[in-house]
Amino acid sequence: MRDFYYLRANSIDAARQAAALPGAMLLAGGTTLIDLAKCGVTEPETVVDITYLKGLDGITVDDRGATIGALARMSSVADHAEVKSRFPAVSDALWQAASAQLRNMATIGGNLMQRTRCPYFRDPANFPACNKRTPGSGCSAIGGVTRGHAVLGTSEACIATYPGDLATALVAFDAVVHLGDRQVAVDDFFLLPGATPEREHAIAPGEMITAINIPASAAAKRSTYLKVRDRQSYEFAAASAAVGIEFEADGRTIRDLRVALGGVATRPWRARAVEEALKGKLLEADIVKQASLLAIEGAVAHGANHYKIELAPRVVARAILKMGETA
Amino acid sequence: MTVHDVRSRHGDSKRGDASDGAIFAEAVGGRLSRVDGPAKITGAAKYAVEQQIDGLSHAVLVESTIAAGKVRSIDTAAAESAPGVLLVLTPDNALRLNTATDWLGTPPPDIPYCPLAGDITFSGQHVAAVVAESFEQAVAAAALVKVAYDETTAIVDLDDPKAGDGIPIDTMTKEWGDAQAAFAAAPVRICAAYNTPREYQAPMEPHGLIAKWQGDRLTVWEPSQWLDGMARTYAEWFGVPFENVRLVSPFIGGGFGSKAFAYGYGAVAAMAAKMLGRPVKLVVTRPQTFTAYGGRAATRQTVALGANAEGRIQSIVHRGVNETSVDGMWVEPLGSVTSIMYATPNFSSRQNVVRVNTVVPGALRAPGENPSAFGIESAIDELAYEVGIDPLEIRLRNYAEQDPEAKKPWSTRQLREAFAAGAEAFGWSKRAPEPRSMRDGNQLIGWGVAAGTYPVRRAYGEAMVRILADGSVEVESSSIDMGQGTYTILAQTAAEVVGVPAEDVVVKLGDSRYARAGVTGGSRLAGVMTGAVHKAATAALDQLVGLAISDPNSPFHALQANTLVVANGRIASPRGDGPEVSIAELLGSVGRSQIEAMGDTMPANSTADDRYKNYTTIATALSHTEGDYSRHSWCAHFVEVRVDEDFGTVRVSRVVSGLDSGRLYNPKLAESQWKGGIIMGIGQALLEEGIVDRRHGRIVNNNLADYLIATNADIPDIEVISVGIPDPQSSALGGKGVGELGIVGVAPAIANAVFHATGKRVRDLPITLEKLI
Ligand SMILES: Cc1cc2nc3c(=O)[nH]c(=O)nc-3n(C[C@H](O)[C@H](O)[C@H](O)COP(=O)(O)OP(=O)(O)OC[C@H]3O[C@@H](n4cnc5c(N)ncnc54)[C@H](O)[C@@H]3O)c2cc1C
Ligand code: SF4
């Protein structure tokens, strides 16, 4: 970690201006930024502290949807009564993320921007080759320890998993990221690595997340987030699924279905093929299991992560069936 | 460090539950709460590297990024000119230290020792260090040290084709009967390979120290499981008398075997402090806790069991391998449980050690017994299914009535009682024998059992006990408390012997200026130190009573009594027919400021050199089979797991264990330690594994987000049942080892339960989800 300048932003505009300076980075809860600075991955010249900005930590929920300020803490959102009742998958995803201490510190904006847990990315001293960190330097992970790496959305340049839970739920429910004067669908906000894994988000220097908006829907109201991992708590997902479901009046025929995968892809992964296959169908175990296999269409294993290809559809199927049980 | 907080306890906690006959919590055997607890909970407890020392500078290590080869050059120019930098240490400017005696007491070779390597034998080896005014400056400058290497090919782990079969360790060979022939002739045979990965101690408090020289006197504040052993190492490295080194280690935030030695980074810090003439602080980073010292070696075992149709074992053939480093030797005794758990007429165990490019492995809770039990306790479970009898029944059928290896009677072995108590509380008799026969929705339920054991390691101890003018009692020892309860049980021991409330005893530990102590390891400290304190306190009491009887100014002088009783801090005649005064009043009337007694349990003819050896090496430790008996602690774990049939995730939903640690000096603390061992065992079974990048020979999950240890959410209710009886052969007060026992046998009990749940036998730890889907 090297010395840096510390600026405390007193307005959104000031923060954005400061963030546009070369080498500047926004500081929210700091749980990603400080961690990566200690690892030598980020070396900000200027840290722009946005935690003193007023009015960015609100959570408002009404019939149209939820608007969550970028500085709202993970724990406040997870525990928000209206979020819990209208967007259970969002609350579940947050509850199962990180640890209580981290959730109390970490913000929603920072959460979306968290970086991959690829161990090679996090250790520049020992693994100089990492296309995400240093474009063109190669990928240390391919051929190495890949148990946690992605099977979906990978490229020759990078196979790093997007680790976050919240964004997986957001992408399922068509949430939108507010960047001050423009808005981007969450689905478009996270980029595939392709040949440019260093570009992870559709956000430009000098832009800042101010809020996210999640439109209300029947599927979001009847939703869940299922996270599977070896450790019961405080571990990133081996595979996870955000699922929301809306039934026809008969209570058995699927009218609307939302499925997104976490822990298995290079970005939050909407599984539209599963959704389309099941819309209009009756919710039955065999049909659901069969359709869930579509979630991993095109998956590619790299050694030790092959189990994710088995696991992910099972997680999807379980989550969908669980939503059916409570019909 | 002194713990006075005992006085602040609420009156309630003074009453024990009279377990073990102790009437008060204060007495030995009572459930006194940890006297250091309040200091830890309130943050008042200052750990070694939290000491505020004037003029402190900060050292940061530079580590090798290759696993094998040589350092070609180190460019320190940029680091040297970085802000705040005081010193950049490399092998070129390092002081020449002496090689120190090892812990076994082996005289060292007469070659210089340099804690910074030029020849690289593992990734993460210390190659340089930077000292600066501030920690941040040192970190920044350390990143500027440029090391160039000539890399050679590393042997990354036991699976490396280049690793070979390794070096046979003849002292590990154990044979009786004709094991091969008996195995070949046995009607029922099973043979399987069991593997355990690299595992790490992962203490909450990372290792580190503050080193400060005053002339040729060195003070080291460092978390330590062995002050006198480490002081000796520092003294020998720097060629100063042992007495010139003071180690201070008031509290230890977890050691699990990893804090018993002075390591290379300690030499770096002390060297830098000497060169700079300033105190130096060096704390290893979390990733460095995986390479600055060793975790448990990866192991491989094959266990072959030959039995008759009733499941009676005819032969055990066991082969073990553990990894060690290229230039260090660590033997993880893999046949230690194999050879004593079950009766068998024929037995063979051999062990090899394979050199790989890793830091030399070290001790981690129950070294040897832990992986050994994973092998034999999995194998006997496999045998139970093979012959179709209950896994508990097969263990009783093969019960060893005496030590099959030493051919001596057990001092005490309450293992049958442990099985019985555990099975009863667990409800084992309701178990459906078939694998995959119990379920709850998507959860397959399995029940497993396994036994564990740990030898009673014994040694001699020393303690100072003072009775002070105010009637309080002070105990001093350079032994330590890393959470296991030394402060508490020594207060209980002295209180009981002298006859004062425990709250009037102040225990001072963790300073090598105090009465000496050997290593806090091998679960031996409680037995050693209660014996020593008992002896010293008895001597102090004798002096006190002697004074009261014979001093002309004593109120008891006229009584012409032979003896007096001291209870609750007051002295009286046994029949209560004379005066009764407090200890303080007596000392006042005879004009004494204190009574002081040093006690040790060394043989009477011991020389000063014997004593030095006893406290600074393990050369004088007593074998657990010395004399007429074989001494061990025993346990039986009963475990319920739930395995998600789709996801392969395993959760432990219930643990009941019967444990025999002999007499418990404080059941509350012993239970906590057993549970701690069981919790660690759950992590070992399901989560813990140092994952090696096989191209680079480097552990890549070297942090607590990726090296998974059990969280609270992974731990179910754990019921521990003490079945021990006092064992006078094992220690002065009848206790056997507690700290390591609990972990032994947990991993096989879980693996056995997983088999019962799923029908899948996992022989490679940890049991992660991909092994079950
Ligand atoms: C040990 C550990 C375990 C974890 N486990 C999980 C888990 O299981 N699931 C999970 O989802 N997450 C997990 N996390 C990640 C955690 O959720 C994130 O670290 C946290 O959400 C980041 O939020 P923050 O406010 O602390 O961000 P910061 O660290 O302050 O910022 C992170 C990044 O976002 C940028 N940034 C911050 N705010 C904004 C903004 N408003 N606009 C634009 N850019 C911004 C910063 O410049 C920085 O680059 C874990 C983290 C750790 C350390
Ligand atoms: S997977 Fe991506 S992040 Fe990891 S080393 Fe390769 S390029 Fe870097």
Side-chain angles (χ1 to χ4, degrees), chain A residues 1-3 38 43 117-120 122-123 125-128 139-145 147 226-236 238-239 289 304 306-308 310-316 318-319 325, chain B residues 63-66 83 123-124 136-137 139-140 442-443 644-651 686-687 691-696 698-711 713-714 767-770 772-773:
Chain A
M1 199 191 254
R2 65 175 186 198
D3 282 355
K38 283 187 184 171
E43 293 198 317
R117 296 294 306 185
C118 170
Y120 301 97
R122 293 172 54 84
D123 189 356
N126 281 285
F127 303 106
C139 170
S140 293
I142 295 174
V145 174
R147 184 173 188 259
L226 178 60
K227 183 173 181 182
V228 173
R229 42 188 166 169
D230 283 299
R231 188 158 74 175
Q232 174 75 22
S233 165
Y234 200 12
E235 188 187 4
F236 293 92
K289 284 184 183 164
H306 60 85
Y307 73 94
K308 289 185 188 250
E310 282 292 309
L311 183 60
R314 298 182 185 188
V315 179
V316 168
R318 178 79 63 83
E325 272 167 26
Chain B
E63 304 176 290
S64 72
T65 56
I66 62 164
S123 181
E136 290 76 12
Q137 289 168 332
V139 172
N442 301 113
Q443 312 282 307
D644 190 294
E645 63 176 337
D646 296 324
F647 307 155
T649 43
V650 182
R651 301 287 181 258
L686 302 178
L687 301 169
I691 302 173
V692 184
D693 180 304
R694 311 202 61 245
R695 303 160 306 172
H696 299 272
R698 185 172 176 80
I699 301 283
V700 293
N701 58 337
N702 56 2
N703 61 78
L704 292 184
D706 297 319
Y707 182 84
L708 303 181
I709 57 173
T711 63
D714 296 285
I767 307 171
T768 47
L769 59 87
E770 69 265 46
L772 294 171
I773 59 174

Side-chain angles (χ1 to χ4, degrees), chain A residues 116 118-122 127 129-133 137-142 149 157-161 193 197 200:
Chain A
T116 182
C118 170
Y120 301 97
F121 170 77
R122 293 172 54 84
F127 303 106
C130 171
N131 289 324
K132 192 182 272 304
R133 234 177 28 225
S137 61
C139 170
S140 293
I142 295 174
H149 285 81
C158 179
I159 59 168
T161 302
E200 294 178 343

